[in-house]
Amino acid sequence: DPGSGAVAGSGGGVAGVAEMVAAHPCQHAGCESVFRSLGALQSHTRTHLEVFPYECLVPGCMRRFKWRSSMAYHRKTHARAPGGEEAGAAPEAGEGERAGQAA
């Protein structure tokens, strides 16, 4: 996934000794990805699992997403729906929206 923090050369190559000390390798069988941070590894792990921690908050919408960015992109589909408003959707905490500003 974009911006994953993967260590250069982690697509099958061997990273240098200094990189390996602080690196976080993926433990999934057959995956050779290595990441600089634990958070990047945790995000990457979702690619191997059927985990969908982000859900659309629009009433009646049951969509769930692996990535916060995918959920944010999906929310825009509700704004384009007939009527033009996101029927009752509250902004997500930390999405960078300012008070009083439409999504």
Side-chain angles (χ1 to χ4, degrees), residues 13-91:
V14 178
V17 175
E19 289 180 277
M20 292 303 289
V21 172
H24 300 274
C26 179
Q27 300 297 313
H28 193 272
C31 184
E32 298 179 6
S33 295
V34 180
F35 300 88
R36 296 179 203 276
S37 71
L38 182 59
L41 171 62
Q42 291 170 337
S43 180
H44 164 79
T45 300
R46 280 185 251 149
T47 64
H48 298 298
L49 306 174
E50 291 301 313
V51 176
F52 299 88
Y54 302 99
E55 65 180 290
C56 181
L57 298 177
V58 173
C61 185
M62 304 298 288
R63 297 284 311 266
R64 297 186 66 89
F65 305 90
K66 286 186 179 189
W67 316 111
R68 182 182 186 149
S69 60
S70 296
M71 188 222 16
Y73 181 80
H74 163 77
R75 285 184 62 216
K76 294 176 184 178
T77 65
H78 293 293
R80 291 191 300 263
E85 292 294 321
E86 285 189 45

